[in-house]
Amino acid sequence: MGTRTLEGKIALVTGGSRGIGRAIARRLGRDGATVAVAYARDEAAANEVVEGIRKDDGRAFALHAELGRHGDAASLWGAFDAYADDYTPGGAVDIIVNNAGIGRSADLASLTEDGFDEVFAVNVRAPFFIVQQGLKRLCDGGRIINISSGAARLALPEIMAYGATKGALDTFTLNLAKELGPRGITANSVAPGIIDTDVNASWLRGNPDAEAHAASLAALGRVGQPEDVADIVAFLASDDARWVTGRVIDATGGSGL
Ligand SMILES: NC(=O)c1ccc[n+]([C@@H]2O[C@H](COP(=O)([O-])OP(=O)(O)OC[C@H]3O[C@@H](n4cnc5c(N)ncnc54)[C@H](OP(=O)(O)O)[C@@H]3O)[C@@H](O)[C@H]2O)c1
């Protein structure tokens, strides 16, 4: 059991059904928050996360919200409101975690305009409008936590557009901190390095050489786990982090030092 420091708080975690988002949802649930576990396609995975949180005596519900299309933020908040009677009185929210993201990208020569639009629509436009349209619901003293990437500060030409989305997200974070500070709302980015999730499964899992190489990139000498990121998010969501805002918190285990 966690320490339930978030008792009475309501958290939205996009992409909460798998990978880093699942670990964040579970951790915030253990800390006492009611968690809206948003997913795009894998309802079963989202329901599993919800069940896991409930088994830990937490409160959670699965929320279908496919991001990356015009109107996605409005649909998300509309779906969120459907749970108002049971979970989210007045549609209020205390913690928004913009975690859903896609890594689809290509190098400069091969990236198409559609590919560019898609990665920016999911990784940048969706968080932007989720926050914009969530502002009237977000309680004073609330938290916005954007899941960025170490790729925002490294030159990785093979995933150039992906890195650019995370750079844009970090700039969004910075501006939110300034804009919302007077309401006691903090906004921070968390920037993971290589984390063992489905996104990396095809080249990482069951490949000792790839794992050893990935581990060697981090000063701490191992591949990151979703919980490594979730624990940082839990800190930022807590009252202990009330004086941290507008920052990108590195969650790479010391990669590229
Ligand atoms: N893994 C890494 O090494 C790494 C490193 C740095 C940063 N990050 C960032 O961390 C975040 C999570 O990554 P992850 O590795 O945990 O990814 P993941 O394992 O692929 O999980 C992605 C999650 O996002 C949801 N999602 C994907 N596309 C969506 C869409 N269009 N609309 C709504 N939800 C969508 C998925 O839901 P469904 O299953 O329902 O589709 C799933 O819950 C991303 O922002 C990523 O850029 C990851």
Side-chain angles (χ1 to χ4, degrees), residues 11-196:
L12 164 70
V13 182
T14 66
S17 52
R18 292 191 291 113
I20 294 169
R22 170 171 56 196
I24 293 170
R26 287 198 166 152
R27 173 65 204 264
L28 297 184
R30 276 204 308 281
D31 287 357
T34 296
V35 186
V37 178
Y39 68 97
R41 289 164 290 268
D42 195 342
E43 185 179 9
N47 286 334
E48 211 174 286
V49 176
V50 167
E51 287 312 313
I53 292 172
R54 289 178 182 165
K55 269 193 198 128
D56 284 341
D57 292 329
R59 285 161 56 83
F61 59 96
L63 189 71
H64 179 243
E66 182 144 9
L67 305 174
R69 293 169 291 150
H70 284 279
D72 54 5
S75 300
L76 179 146
W77 289 119
F80 186 84
D81 279 342
Y83 293 91
D85 286 348
D86 292 330
Y87 292 101
T88 61
V93 65
D94 299 280
I95 301 157
I96 298 174
V97 183
N98 285 307
N99 163 78
I102 55 173
R104 196 164 314 143
S105 192
D107 64 14
L108 184 59
S110 56
L111 185 66
T112 63
E113 288 180 321
D114 283 348
F116 180 96
D117 286 349
E118 184 185 17
V119 73
F120 270 83
V122 176
N123 293 6
V124 184
R125 197 181 66 207
F128 189 100
F129 288 102
I130 287 170
V131 170
Q132 182 208 58
Q133 294 175 30
L135 273 187
K136 57 183 182 299
R137 308 155 177 280
L138 186 58
C139 301
D140 289 357
R143 301 281 186 265
I144 297 168
I145 301 161
N146 294 324
I147 305 303
S148 177
S149 170
R153 65 174 171 84
L154 292 171
L156 298 168
E158 65 280 12
I159 52 168
M160 189 180 284
Y162 172 76
T165 66
K166 297 303 188 178
L169 192 65
D170 291 345
T171 304
F172 180 45
T173 296
L174 190 62
N175 282 282
L176 286 175
K178 182 90 171 169
E179 172 98 359
L180 302 177
R183 291 179 52 195
I185 295 168
T186 68
N188 291 287
S189 285
V190 176
I194 298 170
I195 305 293
D196 182 6

